[in-house]
């Protein structure tokens, strides 16, 4: 993973620490992680992001699914202690008819049982498109979770440009305004990472289908405004666009050159 990132000109990346669509974790090999830790340090990588499996739903109606979510997150965070100083991002979940408040209470409850004071990883709530009963489509929903978290210093937010646009935020027309709203509801100091994706669907569609940079409804210019905004300086920007390593390499090169030109 680290070598591929190096090869395509990245200085951060996102990865899964287990099968993204299943519960099974591949046994952690501390030697592998130690090697990765060295490679990241030697090549001046920024923090990297581990993404929780998509099946994780800490606010499910089903107690078994909630317990599985808690177990997976606990195991993943234990594993990440071999790579201290990085981030673990998860989708807050879908409340499936239980209501927003109950959903947020369940999510915060899991975090309060799983987070450890000595833990070196910051756990990130991802901004979502708000499809179905998905929590996190509005910044205020993330605030509702954060307000109930007992270790706020261990929890932050990861933005996703496709999700925010699909969720109805004007990423293309008023990025400043979106950041102002985020700052009011959540606080920019709680923002640790940004997924930069174009979107296959129009703003407000609540769909969540990522497009390659420049091939969707956001467009390359809007993405460049996102990554060059002074309030976001130094954050890791992660591509989750539907392409392969070579395609991601091209997107990185394009965005780096446009960002450099814009910042003059
Ligand atoms: Fe995600
Ligand atoms: Fe994302
Ligand atoms: Zn998505």
């Amino acid at each position: 993973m680290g070598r591929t990132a190096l090869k395509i000109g990245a200085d951060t990346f996102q990865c899964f620490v287990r099968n993204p669509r299943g519960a099974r974790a591949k046994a952690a090999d501390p030697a592998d992680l130690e090697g990765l830790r060295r490679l990241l340090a030697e090549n001046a990588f920024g923090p990297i992001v581990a993404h929780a499996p998509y099946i994780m739903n800490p606010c499910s109606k089903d107690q078994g699914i909630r317990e599985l979510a808690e177990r997976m997150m606990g195991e993943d965070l234990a594993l990440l202690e071999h790579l201290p100083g990085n981030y673990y991002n998860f989708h807050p979940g879908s409340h499936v008819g239980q209501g927003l408040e109950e959903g947020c209470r369940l999510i915060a409850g899991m975090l309060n049982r799983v987070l450890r004071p000595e833990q070196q990883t910051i756990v990130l709530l991802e901004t979502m498109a708000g499809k179905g009963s998905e929590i996190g489509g509005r910044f205020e929903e993330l605030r509702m979770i954060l307000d109930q978290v007992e270790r706020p210093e261990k929890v932050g937010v990861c933005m996703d440009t496709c999700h925010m646009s699909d969720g109805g935020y004007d990423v293309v027309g008023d990025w400043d305004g979106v950041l102002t709203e985020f700052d009011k509801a959540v606080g920019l100091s709680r923002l640790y990472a940004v997924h930069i994706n174009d979107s296959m669907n129009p703003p407000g569609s609540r769909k969540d289908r990522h497009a390659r940079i420049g091939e969707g409804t956001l467009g390359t210019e809007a993405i460049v405004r996102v990554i060059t905004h002074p309030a976001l300086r130094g954050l890791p920007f992660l591509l989750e666009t539907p392409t392969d390593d070579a395609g991601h390499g091209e997107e990185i090169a394009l965005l780096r050159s446009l960002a450099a030109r814009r910042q003059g």
Side-chain angles (χ1 to χ4, degrees):
M1 207 48 154
R3 300 214 172 273
T4 305
L6 267 181
K7 207 169 69 189
I8 65 174
D11 53 9
T12 180
F13 60 87
Q14 177 169 269
C15 58
F16 291 96
V17 289
R18 70 174 72 217
N19 178 351
R21 307 206 178 266
R24 216 155 51 86
K26 183 169 81 172
D29 186 343
D32 283 354
L33 293 174
E34 185 48 44
L36 178 56
R37 170 150 74 157
R38 263 204 312 277
L39 182 131
L40 298 180
E42 281 164 7
N43 294 283
F45 272 60
I48 63 165
V49 179
H51 196 302
Y54 295 124
I55 59 154
M56 183 183 278
N57 186 7
C59 58
S60 169
K61 228 187 316 208
D62 181 315
Q63 189 183 349
I65 294 177
R66 293 200 303 270
E67 285 171 1
L68 175 65
E70 184 167 332
R71 199 188 78 218
M72 290 193 292
M73 189 176 287
E75 289 173 2
D76 289 355
L77 289 176
L79 190 61
L80 286 171
E81 286 302 286
H82 293 287
L83 274 180
N86 295 297
Y87 306 141
Y88 182 75
N89 173 69
F90 77 108
H91 298 175
S94 294
H95 65 68
V96 282
Q98 301 176 98
L100 177 64
E101 277 183 33
E102 177 63 2
C104 290
R105 190 187 70 79
L106 289 167
I107 297 162
M110 174 191 69
L111 290 171
N112 289 337
R113 287 185 298 277
V114 162
L115 299 180
R116 301 269 168 264
E118 68 280 6
Q119 153 190 330
Q120 302 286 311
T121 301
I122 307 276
V123 174
L124 307 181
L125 301 156
E126 182 166 353
T127 63
M128 301 307 292
K131 62 175 179 320
S133 66
E134 207 168 59
I135 293 180
R138 306 301 304 170
F139 300 150
E140 293 74 18
E141 299 172 6
L142 300 177
R143 167 47 59 198
M144 220 187 266
I145 301 167
L146 291 170
D147 277 343
Q148 300 176 65
V149 163
E150 288 157 10
R151 300 191 191 286
E153 75 284 3
K154 304 290 183 196
V155 185
V157 171
C158 175
M159 284 181 166
D160 185 308
T161 54
C162 167
H163 298 175
M164 286 189 294
S165 175
D166 286 13
Y169 289 103
D170 191 3
V171 174
V172 176
D174 187 15
W175 182 234
D176 269 318
V178 175
L179 289 179
T180 302
E181 253 193 85
F182 181 87
D183 196 32
K184 273 198 212 126
V186 172
L188 278 166
S189 65
R190 309 302 293 274
L191 180 62
Y192 286 85
V194 184
H195 293 162
I196 42 169
N197 304 306
D198 214 322
S199 172
M200 296 209 192
N201 291 290
S205 59
R206 296 181 144 226
K207 281 284 204 320
D208 188 2
R209 295 276 310 282
H210 303 183
R212 292 195 60 180
I213 303 299
E215 294 182 2
T217 55
L218 269 58
T220 308
E221 272 180 48
I223 305 277
V224 172
R225 282 196 294 275
V226 168
I227 64 175
T228 54
H229 197 285
L232 273 48
R233 182 152 305 182
L235 294 184
F237 295 103
L238 298 312
L239 290 162
E240 299 175 310
T241 48
T243 181
D244 54 11
D245 290 342
H248 286 136
E250 287 166 22
E251 290 181 331
I252 291 167
L254 172 72
L255 290 173
R256 279 199 198 284
S257 76
L258 292 175
R261 192 177 311 164
R262 188 181 166 88
Q263 284 168 328

